[in-house]
Amino acid sequence: MSVWDPLTRNPFRLLGIPREQQPPLSLSSAVVLACPGLEPVELTETLLQTCLQQLQSERLPFYRATWFDSTRPLDQLAWLDICERRLNEAWRRWSSENHLLSQHNLAVLAHLRWMMEPTDHALWRGCANRWRDLATLTQDPGYFQVLADFRAWQKDQAFVLLGKGDAAQLRECWTVSVFLSSVEEIQAEQMHMLTAEFERWNLELAALRQGLLDGISVRDVTGRYELELMPLARFLQEATLDNLPLAAQFRRDLSLFYRALARAWWDLPEDAAKDYAQAWLEKAVELADEATRGEWRAELEHWRVSRYPSEVRAANISSLIPGDEARAPRRRLGAVLAALGLLAVLWAASHHRDPMAGLTRPAAQKRADEIVQEMSPLAERLSKMPPEIERAQGPQRQAMQDEQQRMQQRLAALKGELMRIQKWLDRH
């Protein structure tokens, strides 16, 4: 990608001097600074006169803001490092203190570093942050002009990236632009540049949602979305910034549509449709805001649990009895035990309070959210334990197996409680 370059054609650079020195008046005494990241330029008499005129123009504060200063002894040493292409050494010197001139020189050097590595987004952001901090700290018109020119270049770059369909770079461009201006300005810019895309998105999404309400097959609606609208959705999702209201509304609309698809697929009887429904609901949960994410996670977990309920099968006791001679006393013993078991059940039923009694819907929903939050790290930890247990030796391995068993029991208990709560919520 291209980089905004206020350094290569800076008149101080073309004259080969730091910004506080008097400019040379003849071609023989001027030497263009050769430096990594700056394109070579041949200084002619015409270019020399142009540089001298620029240093007398109203743009002088901008040129001073975008070039090195060597007023102090430390700056002179670092300037010599720049002239001899020891950029890291110059960076070390200016980073050793917090003086304003050092901060200025580091901003210029940071911009030079970004020009040398234009694909490094961290350097791009760091460069913008340094210029903004200097403008805020000094209120110098030169730095504000730097921000204005940088911002103008960013706008042009955003149009170029939009034309290329490069969503990742466009997102980064707008991220850096927030440092140089304001959230409101960037939101307005996004709305202006993406007007056609959002108009198409809103119209086609509304048509798909209406199709679900009108009873159109969910397979047809899903196929149309995946073929026609999903590429646009991915582009808008990747290009827009998460912290802007525009992106928040887009993600909310998309999550609601994914949830509607999930429920439509869930109503179909096929097992494959249930899998598809869970996949769409997972996408909806990823995009949902904090206010609804917990509720949708509980719904997703309920779907998973309800599809594979626990089953208890009775053992074939007759195969364990050796013969007729042992069968009669064992039958009597079994009858006694069954009677005792029935009495125990009746006693427990008369003395045990229903845990769901007196439960309110908000409390039930809150408990379901707490269970889901506890289950997620448990399930993640259990998924990682088998290879760890395989690598462990001796007592450590046994301890990890015991821990795994306890976690499995806890997870099973949580799933059972969640299933009971979800059934209660369905009834109430």
Side-chain angles (χ1 to χ4, degrees):
M1 59 171 288
S2 62
V3 174
W4 179 54
D5 181 6
L7 307 182
T8 296
R9 307 294 296 189
N10 189 299
F12 289 111
R13 183 258 172 156
L14 298 178
L15 297 175
I17 59 173
R19 68 177 186 174
E20 81 287 351
Q21 286 189 12
Q22 292 297 320
L25 301 179
S26 65
L27 190 61
S28 60
S29 56
V31 179
V32 178
L33 176 68
C35 184
L38 301 181
E39 296 180 2
V41 178
E42 180 182 357
L43 185 62
T44 63
E45 184 64 37
T46 301
L47 186 54
L48 172 65
Q49 296 304 318
T50 300
C51 291
L52 295 175
Q53 291 172 8
Q54 288 174 331
L55 295 182
Q56 300 297 322
S57 70
E58 60 181 14
R59 293 275 292 174
L60 177 59
F62 172 81
Y63 298 135
R64 286 181 55 81
T66 53
W67 197 244
F68 297 103
D69 187 291
S70 66
T71 301
R72 304 169 303 154
L74 182 144
D75 303 324
Q76 293 168 8
L77 292 173
W79 168 253
L80 181 61
D81 291 329
I82 295 292
C83 294
E84 296 181 356
R85 304 188 177 196
R86 297 192 298 269
L87 303 186
N88 289 337
E89 184 63 20
W91 185 275
R92 184 193 65 78
R93 292 185 194 275
W94 279 318
S95 299
S96 65
E97 61 169 26
N98 197 33
H99 193 276
L100 181 59
L101 283 180
S102 291
Q103 297 307 309
H104 164 82
N105 286 318
L106 285 173
V108 179
L109 189 51
H111 204 112
L112 182 59
R113 281 182 160 186
W114 174 42
M115 291 170 59
M116 295 169 62
E117 298 184 53
T119 59
D120 192 321
H121 290 174
L123 293 180
W124 189 1
R125 296 186 187 194
C127 180
N129 277 325
R130 287 182 180 274
W131 290 126
R132 179 198 59 191
D133 292 345
L134 281 172
T136 303
L137 178 64
T138 65
Q139 297 296 303
D140 187 304
Y143 294 128
F144 284 113
Q145 188 60 55
V146 171
L147 295 185
D149 287 14
F150 201 165
R151 181 75 184 93
W153 175 84
Q154 295 263 141
K155 287 183 179 180
D156 294 339
Q157 185 70 8
F159 275 108
V160 172
L161 295 171
L162 178 61
K164 293 180 178 179
D166 192 337
Q169 291 283 18
L170 183 57
R171 181 190 183 94
E172 186 63 25
C173 186
W174 275 324
T175 298
V176 177
S177 294
V178 173
F179 303 150
L180 302 173
S181 55
S182 66
V183 170
E184 293 75 19
E185 183 179 343
I186 303 307
Q187 183 183 3
E189 181 178 315
Q190 285 188 340
M191 281 297 297
H192 173 68
M193 292 181 59
L194 298 175
T195 296
E197 285 77 7
F198 273 108
E199 285 181 351
R200 178 193 163 199
W201 162 259
N202 290 327
L203 288 173
E204 296 199 18
L205 184 66
L208 292 177
R209 295 168 100 175
Q210 188 61 43
L212 288 176
L213 295 175
D214 292 342
I216 297 177
S217 167
V218 64
R219 290 184 172 85
D220 294 339
V221 173
T222 304
R224 180 180 169 189
Y225 170 74
E226 291 178 334
L227 182 63
E228 301 177 6
L229 205 54
M230 182 177 281
L232 178 59
R234 286 176 177 170
F235 176 81
L236 293 176
Q237 186 177 348
E238 292 174 7
T240 53
L241 301 183
D242 294 336
N243 61 335
L244 297 183
L246 173 70
Q249 183 61 43
F250 165 74
R251 284 161 173 73
R252 181 177 181 277
D253 291 343
L254 186 57
S255 66
L256 289 172
F257 176 66
Y258 283 168
R259 190 190 189 205
L261 279 183
R263 289 187 164 185
W265 278 102
W266 185 259
D267 291 338
L268 299 181
E270 301 90 346
D271 285 341
K274 307 294 186 186
D275 294 334
Y276 214 36
Q278 290 183 197
W280 283 114
L281 190 53
E282 287 172 359
K283 292 177 180 289
V285 169
E286 291 175 4
L287 293 170
D289 54 37
E290 291 296 331
T292 56
R293 188 172 297 153
E295 176 186 349
W296 292 3
R297 279 177 177 165
E299 183 177 4
L300 176 62
E301 190 60 31
H302 172 59
W303 283 6
R304 290 170 175 164
V305 172
S306 63
R307 288 188 66 191
Y308 306 104
S310 301
E311 294 184 1
V312 178
R313 297 183 179 180
N316 187 4
I317 301 299
S318 61
S319 63
L320 304 178
I321 299 176
D324 293 338
E325 68 279 1
R327 193 165 297 170
R330 293 190 180 186
R331 283 176 177 171
R332 288 193 294 271
L333 177 60
V336 172
L337 292 176
L340 291 175
L342 179 59
L343 289 174
V345 169
L346 293 174
W347 182 90
S350 63
H351 291 79
H352 180 66
R353 182 176 179 271
D354 183 3
M356 308 299 286
L359 188 66
T360 63
R361 187 173 183 84
Q365 188 61 66
K366 180 180 179 182
R367 178 55 185 158
D369 295 343
E370 292 174 351
I371 293 173
V372 172
Q373 291 177 0
E374 185 178 353
M375 288 174 63
S376 297
L378 273 176
E380 182 179 1
R381 175 61 182 149
L382 283 170
S383 67
K384 297 178 180 178
M385 289 190 74
E388 296 178 4
I389 294 175
E390 189 69 25
R391 292 193 298 268
Q393 299 294 330
Q396 183 183 9
R397 183 171 186 175
Q398 183 60 47
M400 294 182 68
Q401 289 175 337
D402 294 341
E403 180 187 4
Q404 182 186 37
Q405 184 177 6
R406 290 193 298 271
M407 293 175 69
Q408 288 173 339
Q409 292 172 350
R410 178 57 180 165
L411 186 62
L414 289 171
K415 285 184 176 180
E417 184 180 359
L418 180 63
M419 190 171 178
R420 289 194 298 273
I421 292 176
Q422 288 295 337
K423 289 181 178 179
W424 187 90
L425 287 172
D426 292 341
R427 294 194 305 268
H428 298 77

